[in-house]
Amino acid sequence: MGLASASTATDGMQLCIFDLRRGQNEGQELDKILFFFPADLPFSTQLSVIGLSEGLITFTRIFSPEAACEVIEAERHSHVFYEAETDIWTVMVVEKGKDSDAIWRIDALRKVLKEVHSLFVMFYGSIRAMLEKDPSGGLIRSHLYPFIMDYLSDFPVGKKLQLPSFRDCLKERGTVQMLTMGREAAIEVQDDTINLFTYAVLRLSPNALSSGVNSWSYIRRGSTSSHFVSGSALTHSGPVSEQIYHSSDTSPVGNNINRVTRALQHGKWYKGKDGFLVTDIWGVDVGSLVCATPTVWLQQTEEAMYLCPYQFKSLTLILLFPVSSILNGEQGVALVKQQLLENASLKILKVEEKLSKGWGGENAYHVSGYRYLLVDGDRNISRASPPGKVTTLAKESLLALSKLRDEVDLEKSRAKRDNAGCEKDLEVSIRAKNNAWAIARITGGKELYMVLEKASETLLYASDAVEKFSNRYCNGAFSLD
């Protein structure tokens, strides 16, 4: 397996992971570096970036010992911090002002850092656990580098990494995009569900396997022995950019202790004759030539689970079976799959038919005159205007909403520090340079962000438009009455 460096594709972005507990003695400074992108930068440069980050973390703790540092804004760079695990920090440094699109919403960048760590833990366990298993750091480095490089392969546009910018202010990373905000659709969405949904969108949706198929999101609460979570065929990034990495995976099949499982590899999942998706990412049994069933680690229950995706037409189901409950390894998994098809095929057919008849296409949740994002933070779900409709907004409108969301993020962060456990209601409206209205309303754990480009000159008119939207599509959740 070979992964080439991609400094030519960074265009002013650096990403590093380091452990504050390591490399504290002179001559051992390199020990603290667990990951650095681009990897071909001189070690002196890498240590300079990490040393500055470490200094900023230490300095800000003097004034805020209980709240971790989130962002430092310098003249030419933004330093975005995320403490993934205790004393293990992920830092992204992005350059400002190189082009007109290099305007970031910091919380969106932090959610990228959070997402990549959450996905990593789902497949491999915690970084700290790997360091304890191999104190030299070789084990964790050999897993972090290919994993994060595969993750970054979803961001390239040409020779650049297209990080979330102001143009993505009507999206919410780290949520499950639902067809409906009603509780009958999602009893509970946990962190593990978000990770599985994200992975399904990136690698398991019909568009990731073959082109030209629409799908949807559907979540069903399962029993303790199995869980059903679907993937959604959202826009896929397409082929892996050679500027990000080049892979020639020559790892032998079987249980090679030197083999690193690259869970985010592109184009490694395909549909079997029985409808189950299979991959050789987790290896192949030499004797039977059967692909090993992938396993994931659920943080909520601290349990290892077999990951068994199944597709019927445009419906993707993810079945999770506790590893401890399956006897005889792959033979046991095969038996469970067979029993599922025998007992649940009709139910799956009915679910697909119901969703297919009710699916209104990509523009099903377009509301004429509105560009919006609904977020239910308590249940980690969201719904938004179709991406194609959002692209019709003027740049000035998106910039205004992005600025508004930055202010809201700041207020939410302050409220969280000052009033632990208390939610703060908030309403903010901004008039953009092109006379569009950017509006945010926060109440009861729910958030509504909206752009109105055809509103009249008055704030009263815009407020009335939001009231009508709230009453008709949100059961009055954001109404001021």
Side-chain angles (χ1 to χ4, degrees), residues 77-135:
H77 296 85
S78 295
H79 299 252
V80 186
F81 297 80
Y82 174 62
E83 189 174 15
E85 301 173 25
T86 303
D87 290 333
I88 294 177
W89 287 79
T90 304
V91 178
M92 180 187 292
V93 182
V94 290
E95 192 170 357
K96 297 179 180 178
K98 296 203 71 173
D99 58 62
S100 60
D101 282 351
I103 300 174
W104 326 107
R105 189 169 68 86
I106 297 303
D107 189 64
L109 295 181
R110 291 191 78 245
K111 286 186 176 179
V112 169
L113 302 181
K114 181 179 180 180
E115 181 177 88
V116 70
H117 174 259
S118 294
L119 288 172
F120 183 88
V121 172
M122 182 176 73
F123 289 111
Y124 308 110
S126 71
I127 294 175
R128 181 64 66 196
M130 275 197 170
L131 286 171
E132 291 175 352
K133 184 177 182 180
D134 177 18

Side-chain angles (χ1 to χ4, degrees), residues 216 351-360:
W216 43 76
V351 168
E352 194 280 333
E353 287 181 345
K354 182 177 180 180
L355 291 175
S356 181
K357 291 178 181 178
W359 175 238

Side-chain angles (χ1 to χ4, degrees), residues 34 50 60 73 75 78 122 126 138 171 182 212 227 252 261 266 284 319 333 335 374 396 447 471:
L34 304 182
I50 290 177
T60 54
E73 294 286 3
E75 182 179 356
S78 295
M122 182 176 73
S126 71
K171 298 178 182 177
H227 303 263
T261 299
H266 283 270
V284 178
L319 287 78
V333 173
L335 179 60
L374 284 167
E396 292 81 2
E447 304 174 25
N471 291 331

Side-chain angles (χ1 to χ4, degrees), residues 136-155:
S136 73
L139 180 64
I140 186 62
R141 293 187 186 102
S142 68
H143 283 75
L144 279 174
Y145 183 73
F147 184 84
I148 297 179
M149 296 304 289
D150 285 334
Y151 178 83
L152 292 178
S153 70
D154 288 321
F155 289 90

